[in-house]
Amino acid sequence: MASRADAGSPTLFVAPDGRVLGRREAEGPLLAEPDWGFLKAYREKCPILRHRREEAYRVR
């Protein structure tokens, strides 16, 4: 989740389960590496992308 530098809020890197994996209070980039194994297992457990309606995203 990116934030504006002038907003006073931190930039966060958040896992799908809500765990904060990275946080930056100061202005500048936040570098973090996702746990790809956890992400794959989470997507198998909670297949939310399966419910996506592709036709809802098309620009006409």
Side-chain angles (χ1 to χ4, degrees):
M1 297 173 9
S3 64
R4 290 176 36 163
D6 61 349
S9 58
T11 299
L12 301 174
F13 184 75
V14 183
D17 63 352
R19 289 180 297 133
V20 176
L21 302 176
R23 180 184 185 103
R24 183 169 176 96
E25 299 286 341
E27 186 176 338
L30 167 65
L31 301 176
E33 180 68 30
D35 180 346
W36 297 110
F38 170 80
L39 186 57
K40 182 178 180 207
Y42 188 86
R43 286 180 175 167
E44 289 172 2
K45 179 181 171 187
C46 302
I48 60 173
L49 293 178
R50 204 180 307 159
H51 302 291
R52 201 166 78 171
R53 293 180 39 217
E54 296 288 335
E55 70 277 4
Y57 303 106
R58 291 195 186 116
V59 178
R60 296 176 190 177

